[in-house]
DNA sequence: TAGTGTGTTTCTTATATAGGTCGTATCC
DNA sequence: GGATACGACCTATATAAGAAACACACTA
């Protein structure tokens, strides 16, 4: 069972912004401190995804726990900017998913040292003194999987949920083949 | 040697995972 | 004061973005 915990998307509005002016127009929803970071943060509520808007018109949405919520956050952003007269609908160029962070639970304790050998040392990184998880990069897939001794895992690096599921299924097959616990 | 140009790295944000370290708080 | 508990933060992973700070190469 794969669960999305963070979806990241980016988009482009065909317009340059004076972020100081935009921050004033948006009020408390916006947080802009150019000395700290060149992007302006926009949040719709305390637990909503975070939007980072740049001077060039490009923006990033992070913190959505589903693809639907990512799209919803993008719609809210565009409505907010349109309603405040900051952009026109014709300024919207594109928006696409860039990265998904998902969790998975294989419901079995794992011997990560043996798993690293079984999966192949050239495809894995396991240094427990540095980080308790095993990093697995399947050359046939875009995703990177962090595998922990508890049987839980983090799958990241892909923009396609089907590919994430495929990566999870592939690992389940490998665990079954290796029969490690 | 100084100036310019190019390229690389770091910063920031979100998020799960887990082990280790550190600081603070509470209790005996 | 010592022991324990707890929270915060670090480590690693991916990704986008712009700006600043670097490092390095090249030319005058």
């Amino acid at each position: 069972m794969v669960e999305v915990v963070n979806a990241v998307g980016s988009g482009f509005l065909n317009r340059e912004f004076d972020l100081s002016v935009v921050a004033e127009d948006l009020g408390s929803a916006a947080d802009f401190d150019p000395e700290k970071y060149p992007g302006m943060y926009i949040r719709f509520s305390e637990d909503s995804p975070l939007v980072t808007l740049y001077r060039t018109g490009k923006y990033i949405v992070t913190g959505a726990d589903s693809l639907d919520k990512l799209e919803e956050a993008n719609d809210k952003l565009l409505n907010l900017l349109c309603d405040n007269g900051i952009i026109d609908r014709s300024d919207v160029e594109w928006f696409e998913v860039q990265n998904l962070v998902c969790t998975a639970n294989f419901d079995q304790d794992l011997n990560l040292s043996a798993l690293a050998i079984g999966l192949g040392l050239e495809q894995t990184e396991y240094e427990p003194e540095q980080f308790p998880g095993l990093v697995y990069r399947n050359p046939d897939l875009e995703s990177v999987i962090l595998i922990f001794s508890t049987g839980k895992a983090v799958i990241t690096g892909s923009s396609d949920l089907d590919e994430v599921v495929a990566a999870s299924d592939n690992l389940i097959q490998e665990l079954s083949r290796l029969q490690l616990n």
Side-chain angles (χ1 to χ4, degrees):
Chain A
M1 178 64 182
V2 168
E3 185 181 354
V4 177
V5 294
N6 183 24
V8 181
S10 66
F12 178 50
L13 304 170
N14 194 15
R15 178 176 291 222
E16 292 208 349
F17 299 109
D18 181 335
L19 294 180
S20 301
V21 175
V22 176
E24 276 190 31
D25 290 344
L26 298 184
S28 60
D31 179 13
F32 180 49
D33 182 356
E35 290 187 7
K36 187 180 175 191
Y37 190 68
M40 182 182 74
Y41 302 119
I42 302 171
R43 209 187 275 277
F44 308 105
S45 64
E46 207 168 286
D47 60 346
S48 72
L50 178 73
V51 176
T52 310
L53 177 65
Y54 297 93
R55 175 190 58 78
T56 57
K58 292 183 177 177
Y59 63 99
I60 306 169
V61 183
T62 58
D65 57 13
S66 71
L67 290 171
D68 286 342
K69 287 187 180 176
L70 185 68
E71 291 292 341
E72 185 183 314
N74 184 47
D75 288 340
K76 279 187 180 178
L77 171 72
L78 300 180
N79 288 334
L80 179 69
L81 296 177
C82 285
D83 292 347
N84 282 276
I86 298 167
I87 63 166
D88 298 322
R89 279 286 167 184
S90 60
D91 291 328
V92 181
E93 287 287 325
W94 51 264
F95 179 75
E96 57 188 37
V97 180
Q98 297 292 347
N99 184 34
L100 294 174
V101 183
C102 303
T103 56
N105 192 343
F106 302 112
D107 295 316
Q108 57 175 308
D109 290 342
L110 298 169
N111 180 333
L112 298 184
S113 297
L115 183 58
I117 295 168
L119 292 173
L121 295 176
E122 66 283 352
Q123 295 174 34
T124 58
E125 294 170 35
Y126 180 48
E127 295 179 53
E129 305 84 9
Q130 194 171 4
F131 186 69
L134 181 154
V135 181
Y136 174 46
R137 301 171 200 271
N138 185 326
D140 299 324
L141 297 169
E142 199 179 356
S143 304
V144 173
I145 309 180
L146 310 184
I147 307 165
F148 298 89
S149 59
T150 57
K152 292 182 178 179
V154 176
I155 305 170
T156 186
S158 176
S159 58
D160 181 359
L161 189 54
D162 290 337
E163 212 240 45
V164 174
V165 173
S168 174
D169 289 345
N170 172 265
L171 184 56
I172 290 171
Q173 286 178 16
E174 288 294 316
L175 293 175
S176 176
R177 178 179 68 84
L178 297 168
Q179 292 192 323
L180 294 170
N181 51 38

